[in-house]
Amino acid sequence: MATRTDAPTRREQILKEAARLFAERGFHGVGVDEIGAAVGISGPGLYRHFAGKDAMLAELLVGISDSLLTGAKRRLDESDRAAGVAPEAVLDSLIEGHIDFALDDRPLITLHDRELDRLRDADRKLVRQLQRQYVELWVAVVRRLYPDLVEPTARSAVHSVFGLLNSTPHLTRPGSLPDRAGTAELLHRMARGAFAAAAEA
């Protein structure tokens, strides 16, 4: 994800280009040869890394769900180890992590919206399982900050905030967003405002 600083492996390069191409033209609109050309290898050469396009799609969609959950758990573990971390700071940390995903991995958001149903049943169920765990982790943090917020409302608020943060791929016109820092700040304020509004309802 966005925090990685070492050079990507060839496998990671393939996945990045596959995500971009799938998001731009759809899963069935992209051939193996095009993905290979994007990373400088022959189409058949891709089969040394992946069994085919279906395997790439599964790794992309399962991978990002797993990455979001793992990152959120890491942030919570860091908060638990630090003394005196306020509930507001814990929620802020989760929001920041999801904003990094929303701004830096936009093709994966588009890919999830369009292509999730193309996964094999087992892979799709795994994605849904990881997503449910991610949502419930957020729900627990939100209710720690707003203890009077009932669980169904907290869950609805979490889903609404995800919808807000994941809307960035649709804002692609020139000037539709400020610079990255400004966009991150705006999204963060809107997310916190949504949770506060839910707690006041």
Side-chain angles (χ1 to χ4, degrees):
M1 298 235 339
T3 56
R4 186 184 176 115
T5 56
D6 51 325
T9 65
R10 176 51 62 92
R11 187 181 181 86
E12 290 168 334
Q13 291 172 343
I14 293 169
L15 286 173
K16 180 179 179 179
E17 291 304 315
R20 179 182 65 81
L21 291 168
F22 292 159
E24 288 176 358
R25 301 209 299 275
F27 180 73
H28 287 304
V30 179
V32 172
D33 289 341
E34 294 171 271
I35 299 171
V39 294
I41 62 177
S42 67
L46 287 180
Y47 293 108
R48 291 196 297 271
H49 302 276
F50 296 96
K53 288 198 309 177
D54 289 340
M56 293 179 208
L57 182 64
E59 186 155 335
L60 284 165
L61 295 183
V62 173
I64 193 55
S65 295
D66 182 64
S67 181
L68 282 169
L69 178 60
T70 299
K73 286 180 176 179
R74 185 189 69 248
R75 288 169 180 267
L76 290 187
D77 287 344
E78 290 169 355
S79 297
D80 289 343
R81 288 196 300 270
V85 177
E88 292 91 342
V90 179
L91 180 57
D92 283 339
S93 180
L94 288 182
I95 293 171
E96 288 165 7
H98 198 100
I99 286 173
D100 284 343
F101 160 65
L103 294 180
D104 297 335
D105 293 305
R106 295 185 198 184
L108 289 174
I109 297 174
T110 301
L111 199 59
H112 179 277
D113 290 345
R114 292 180 184 169
E115 311 291 357
L116 181 62
D117 288 343
R118 298 191 188 281
L119 292 181
R120 295 180 309 167
D121 286 346
D123 290 326
R124 188 168 58 253
K125 287 178 182 177
L126 178 55
V127 169
R128 293 301 192 194
Q129 178 185 4
L130 293 167
Q131 290 175 338
R132 282 193 297 271
Q133 292 178 48
Y134 185 60
V135 168
E136 295 310 311
L137 185 151
W138 276 68
V139 169
V141 170
V142 169
R143 295 191 72 208
R144 196 181 311 160
L145 178 58
Y146 302 107
D148 293 334
L149 193 60
V150 297
E151 188 171 306
T153 303
R155 189 172 294 108
S156 294
V158 168
H159 281 291
S160 296
V161 167
F162 289 171
L164 164 70
L165 301 182
N166 292 347
S167 68
T168 55
H170 308 293
L171 305 174
T172 56
R173 296 190 311 276
S176 60
L177 291 173
D179 62 20
R180 190 192 188 286
T183 300
E185 181 181 358
L186 174 62
L187 291 171
H188 199 124
R189 283 190 283 111
M190 293 176 72
R192 284 299 303 269
F195 288 127
E200 293 171 2

